[in-house]
Amino acid sequence: QVQVVESGGGLVQPGGSLRLSCAASGSIFSINAMGWYRQAPGKQRELVAVIRSGGMPTYAESVKGRFTISRDNAKNTVYLQMSTLKPEDTAVYFCNAEVILTSRSTVISWGQGTQVTVSS
């Protein structure tokens, strides 16, 4: 009913920047929140940043001041601008959307993930 697709991952050197995009599509009435999570090898998935409708963004402490989440409501798209990247930011980044369907039920949908590798 809802598809979430990420793009923009890749290989970047330490100190570099990268922008991730995530678009939601399908039987969408509205979107309560969209967010980014990441999972490094051998570690649990963790919240990176989330932005709710009408609310302030929330960031993990480890990315505050370096990452910026933004949202285009007209396009059902969320972006993650990542700057001053560090090797420890290497992970698969997943997008998540809390969606109210046209049927008025609420679902949480995940994308397939996009790899971000920070290495020289």
Side-chain angles (χ1 to χ4, degrees):
Q1 289 171 314
V2 177
Q3 296 78 43
V4 175
V5 179
E6 306 100 334
S7 62
L11 173 65
V12 62
Q13 292 187 341
S17 298
L18 209 57
R19 189 174 88 148
L20 306 182
S21 300
C22 168
S25 62
S27 303
I28 298 172
F29 174 73
S30 64
I31 298 180
N32 288 337
M34 296 187 79
W36 289 96
Y37 293 72
R38 67 186 181 187
Q39 187 166 17
K43 294 188 176 181
Q44 290 188 331
R45 190 173 298 189
E46 63 176 2
L47 172 69
V48 176
V50 63
I51 185 166
R52 303 194 69 86
S53 295
M56 294 292 290
T58 300
Y59 296 95
E61 285 296 325
S62 60
V63 307
K64 279 184 179 178
R66 300 187 299 121
F67 290 11
T68 301
I69 189 170
S70 60
R71 182 171 161 181
D72 185 334
N73 292 327
K75 297 180 179 180
N76 291 333
T77 298
V78 66
Y79 305 96
L80 185 69
Q81 178 66 47
M82 305 184 291
S83 303
T84 320
L85 282 160
K86 305 175 182 180
E88 50 263 43
D89 294 318
T90 295
V92 178
Y93 283 70
F94 296 90
C95 179
N96 162 291
E98 181 182 320
V99 176
I100 299 177
L101 301 176
T102 51
S103 64
R104 299 305 190 267
S105 59
T106 301
V107 297
I108 295 176
S109 294
W110 289 88
Q112 294 293 320
T114 184
Q115 177 70 46
V116 172
T117 302
V118 185
S119 175
S120 54

